[in-house]
Amino acid sequence: MPPSRPMPTTVGKPLTFEVLIAELFEPIDSPTVNDILALEKAGKLNFINRLQLTTLEEQTAYVQFGALTSRVTGRATTGLTVVPIYNSVNLGTIAQITGRVADDGSIVAQVMVERSGLAGGDEGPFDPNLLTPPKGVDRLTTQSTVRLKPGEPLLIGGRQATLGSDSFKTWIVLTGHIASEIPARKEPPPAGTP
């Protein structure tokens, strides 16, 4: 978790960021943002994770979704019994964004996105007769500073990988918005007014 920061002395504009993490198995090399959004609309993405964060200029927005997963990392023998040794690992998705509005109306954002999971899927139940090592953790992390046009998505990172005969691609798309001013609160009419 990021360290706590002091409250700002001046309040900047409110910013909203949308992070799209898309995994596809379509045979598309170097897709564009429009390709990814078209595949999402057609329902052809194998995995989709959409996060939304709202913050003020120069203040960090942070969100984490996931699980603390226990996994077997070793075994111990006590007499004739073999028992597993467990270790916990955080798996899931983290996004952290700090932005500001530039003089030209664009949004400059520092972005860190991480997605992690067990390589090869879930582990099966503990079998004391198997001596296979635990599965590794598959992690995709991107960290960069980008300039966004408000409301226009930008492809900020991704990967293409092959595992055996399987090929998969993961792409990260970021969209930034300058939130509109909050309308003034309307006072209710005095009691008894028609």
Side-chain angles (χ1 to χ4, degrees):
M1 180 142 177
S4 62
R5 298 175 63 183
M7 291 295 289
T9 55
T10 60
V11 177
K13 295 178 182 176
L15 301 173
T16 299
F17 296 97
E18 188 172 281
V19 179
L20 169 67
I21 302 172
E23 191 169 287
L24 55 140
F25 294 100
E26 293 284 321
I28 298 175
D29 289 325
S30 303
T32 65
V33 170
N34 292 333
D35 293 335
I36 294 168
L37 296 177
L39 288 169
E40 178 190 16
K41 191 172 184 177
K44 293 186 177 180
L45 295 177
N46 292 341
F47 172 84
I48 184 167
N49 195 346
R50 197 177 274 280
L51 308 172
Q52 189 173 39
L53 299 93
T54 300
T55 187
L56 297 174
E57 284 184 280
E58 305 292 343
Q59 297 300 305
T60 301
Y62 177 89
V63 66
Q64 179 176 4
F65 295 99
L68 188 61
T69 303
S70 295
R71 49 199 298 257
V72 177
T73 57
R75 58 189 73 237
T77 305
T78 58
L80 298 176
T81 306
V82 177
V83 295
I85 298 171
Y86 289 96
N87 190 9
S88 295
V89 62
N90 272 315
L91 300 175
T93 304
I94 297 172
Q96 180 174 313
I97 304 173
T98 305
R100 67 177 170 81
V101 179
D103 292 339
D104 63 359
S106 64
I107 301 170
V108 177
Q110 290 180 321
V111 184
M112 189 283 292
V113 177
E114 179 178 290
R115 177 172 171 251
S116 59
L118 291 179
D122 291 335
E123 295 177 333
F126 175 70
D127 183 347
N129 299 318
L130 292 178
L131 297 176
T132 56
K135 293 181 180 181
V137 174
D138 186 22
R139 179 167 283 136
L140 169 67
T141 303
T142 185
Q143 185 169 349
S144 61
T145 301
V146 296
R147 183 180 298 271
L148 304 165
K149 290 183 181 177
E152 290 188 23
L154 178 68
L155 185 64
I156 64 166
R159 69 170 175 182
Q160 298 184 52
T162 303
L163 180 62
S165 62
D166 294 330
S167 175
F168 57 94
K169 301 165 173 77
T170 305
W171 302 101
I172 301 171
V173 176
L174 178 67
T175 308
H177 302 276
I178 302 170
S180 61
E181 297 295 323
I182 298 172
R185 182 177 160 197
K186 292 182 181 180
E187 293 297 324
T193 305

